[in-house]
């Protein structure tokens, strides 16, 4: 019965990851390109989603503080009376599971830490800006292909900045991804140069973001949620001058959408999904493994692209579909190669020597 419940939990976590991830992409596509609901101001849309994330981080931090206080009260030392009995506190064997919100730290903005995180925030702004620009100009079915060069930049920057060597198998996998990118680009009927270049730039900034994240995580005690809060607060300020310069007139002329409840509801839900994807990603990795998470993400990307042909009316072509699966196949092979190389470089510790029985002479 326990194993069945475990399988149900894993399936529910993976299913939630798929629903949140695909819904976030589709909803952002609507906000970026649907004339009836959205406004042609991707910087404004992205800024609002950052503000929503900041608010959620703050609320989650408040709930986290309360959960930790309650947890500390429940875990108070057990009082033992003279007769050997225990008082009213919870014993260590009867402790309830920690609250879900206990993982969220208090959201506080310290200028010294924010200054150290600021370079990462610049990269973060570039990453989410080019990602949404890519989604605005390319078809949803081509979106994963347009952003498929992330692993190529990951390997390149790891070699340049971190000195990590690159194996022939890795280069072969990257070659498959690049070929898939070229095939998919050639087979895209509604090819957008701006969207494709934005996808390449988004991939570049995603790789830089991972490198800068490793560098600044110690500043926030290696806490992912603290870094999320700081990044989005900084980004909220960084987007303001960009919006004024590039989208000021567009926002002023979008009175109808700005007065629409549907517009703000869609914007808020998209912001919530943007925060939730971080949670469900962590849950999926914990429930399965990093390898299974990558396999699940690859399968999700394939389903997302194929569904787009139907939901968005994108006309499929042989080269377009071939490009999608070539990119996903190369990415999946890369995952297996890296996991294999990591296992070889970090072999499991040898088993302990067998204990010899001590003999005694009578």
């Amino acid at each position: 019965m326990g194993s069945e419940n475990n399988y149900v939990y894993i399936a529910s976590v993976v299913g939630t990851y798929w629903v949140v991830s695909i819904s976030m992409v589709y909803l952002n596509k609507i906000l970026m390109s649907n004339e009836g609901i959205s406004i042609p101001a991707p910087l404004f849309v992205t800024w609002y989603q950052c503000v929503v994330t900041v608010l959620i981080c703050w609320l989650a931090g408040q709930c986290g503080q309360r959960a930790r206080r309650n947890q500390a009260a429940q875990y108070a030392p057990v009082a033992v009376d003279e007769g050997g009995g225990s008082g009213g506190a919870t014993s260590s064997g009867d402790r309830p599971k920690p609250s879900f919100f206990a993982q969220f730290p208090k959201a506080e903005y310290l200028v010294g830490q924010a200054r150290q995180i600021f370079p990462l925030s610049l990269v973060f702004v570039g990453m989410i800006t080019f990602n949404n620009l890519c989604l605005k100009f390319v078809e949803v079915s081509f979106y994963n292909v347009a952003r498929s060069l992330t692993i190529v930049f990951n390997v390149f920057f790891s070699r340049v900045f971190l000195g990590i060597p690159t194996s022939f198998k890795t280069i072969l996998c990257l070659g498959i991804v690049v070929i898939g990118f070229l095939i998919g680009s050639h087979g895209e009927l509604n090819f957008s140069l701006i969207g494709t270049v934005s996808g390449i730039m988004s991939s570049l900034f995603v790789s830089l973001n991972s490198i800068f994240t490793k560098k600044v995580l110690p500043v926030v005690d290696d806490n992912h949620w603290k870094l999320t809060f700081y990044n989005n607060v900084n980004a909220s300020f960084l987007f303001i001058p960009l919006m004024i310069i590039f989208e000021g007139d567009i926002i002023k002329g979008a009175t109808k959408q700005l007065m629409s409840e549907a517009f703000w509801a869609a914007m808020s839900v998209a912001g919530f999904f943007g925060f939730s994807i971080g949670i469900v990603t962590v849950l999926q990795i914990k429930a399965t493994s990093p390898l299974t998470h990558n396999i699940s993400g690859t399968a999700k990307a394939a389903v997302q692209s194929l569904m787009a042909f139907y939901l968005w009316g994108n006309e499929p072509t042989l080269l377009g579909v071939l490009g999608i699966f070539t990119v996903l196949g190369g990415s999946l092979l890369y995952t297996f190669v890296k996991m294999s190389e990591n296992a070889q470089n970090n072999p499991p510790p040898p088993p302990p020597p067998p204990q010899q029985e001590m003999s005694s002479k009578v």
Side-chain angles (χ1 to χ4, degrees), residues 25-26 29 135 138-145 188 304-305 308-309 312 314:
V25 172
Y26 287 177
K29 178 62 176 178
L135 194 56
V138 305
E139 302 288 2
V140 180
S141 56
F142 182 66
Y143 173 67
N144 285 308
V145 175
E188 178 65 17
Q304 175 181 298
S305 298
F309 287 121
W312 298 89
N314 303 154

Side-chain angles (χ1 to χ4, degrees), residues 69-360:
R69 283 197 298 266
N70 294 338
Q71 193 172 329
Q74 291 174 351
Y75 293 174
V78 178
V80 180
D81 56 27
E82 294 180 357
S86 59
T90 305
S91 66
S92 59
D94 297 329
R95 289 180 178 179
K97 294 179 65 175
S99 168
F100 168 79
F101 289 102
Q103 63 181 303
F104 296 104
K106 180 182 179 181
E108 52 185 357
Y109 190 82
L110 304 177
V111 177
Q113 290 185 339
R115 188 181 297 113
Q116 292 178 275
I117 296 171
F118 188 76
L120 172 64
S121 299
L122 291 173
V123 174
F124 177 72
V125 166
M127 179 183 72
I128 58 179
T129 298
F130 282 113
N131 178 75
N132 283 343
L133 285 173
C134 173
L135 194 56
K136 174 179 174 62
F137 289 106
V138 305
E139 302 288 2
V140 180
S141 56
F142 182 66
Y143 173 67
N144 285 308
V145 175
R147 296 181 63 255
S148 62
L149 299 182
T150 299
I151 60 174
V152 177
F153 287 116
N154 277 341
V155 173
F156 174 76
F157 287 134
S158 296
R159 179 64 181 251
V160 172
F161 295 124
L162 306 177
I164 299 177
T166 306
S167 67
F168 175 75
K169 291 181 179 179
T170 298
I171 295 175
L172 188 62
C173 295
L174 299 184
I176 295 174
V177 172
V178 172
I179 291 173
F181 172 81
L182 296 175
I183 293 174
S185 299
H186 186 70
E188 178 65 17
L189 291 178
N190 299 317
F191 179 78
S192 168
L193 180 60
I194 296 176
T196 304
V197 171
S198 296
I200 295 173
M201 293 300 296
S202 173
S203 300
L204 186 149
F205 276 105
V206 167
S207 300
L208 288 175
N209 185 75
S210 63
I211 292 175
F212 276 82
T213 296
K214 292 179 182 178
K215 184 177 180 181
V216 303
L217 259 177
V219 175
V220 289
D221 304 319
D222 290 328
N223 192 292
H224 169 74
W225 299 118
K226 284 185 179 180
L227 187 60
T228 298
F229 176 73
Y230 274 106
N231 246 347
N232 282 274
V233 171
N234 288 345
S236 299
F237 289 115
L238 288 170
F239 272 119
I240 292 175
L242 296 175
M243 288 189 300
I244 294 174
I245 295 172
F246 295 105
E247 298 177 348
D249 294 335
I250 297 174
I251 297 172
K252 291 178 182 178
T255 308
K256 180 180 178 182
Q257 285 87 344
L258 294 176
M259 298 297 292
S260 169
E261 294 180 358
F263 171 73
W264 290 111
M267 290 270 284
S268 300
V269 171
F272 174 76
F273 279 154
F275 177 83
S276 300
I277 191 64
I279 295 177
V280 295
T281 297
V282 172
L283 287 176
Q284 180 169 249
I285 293 174
K286 287 183 176 180
T288 57
S289 68
L291 175 61
T292 305
H293 168 68
N294 286 331
I295 295 173
S296 172
T298 303
K300 185 273 304 179
V303 172
Q304 175 181 298
S305 298
L306 294 177
M307 285 175 57
F309 287 121
Y310 175 76
L311 295 176
W312 298 89
N314 303 154
E315 185 177 349
T317 64
L318 177 61
L319 290 179
V321 175
L322 182 61
I324 292 172
F325 283 98
T326 303
V327 161
L328 296 178
S331 301
L332 193 58
L333 283 175
Y334 171 80
T335 298
F336 281 108
V337 167
K338 292 304 292 182
M339 294 291 291
S340 175
E341 291 178 352
N342 291 337
Q344 291 176 1
N345 294 332
N346 301 291
Q355 294 182 353
Q356 296 182 351
E357 294 184 0
M358 297 182 62
S359 60
S360 60

Side-chain angles (χ1 to χ4, degrees), residues 28-34 38-39 42 45-46 132 135-136:
N28 274 330
K29 178 62 176 178
I30 293 174
L31 289 172
M32 295 295 164
S33 58
N34 190 299
S38 68
I39 59 178
V45 173
T46 309
N132 283 343
L135 194 56
K136 174 179 174 62

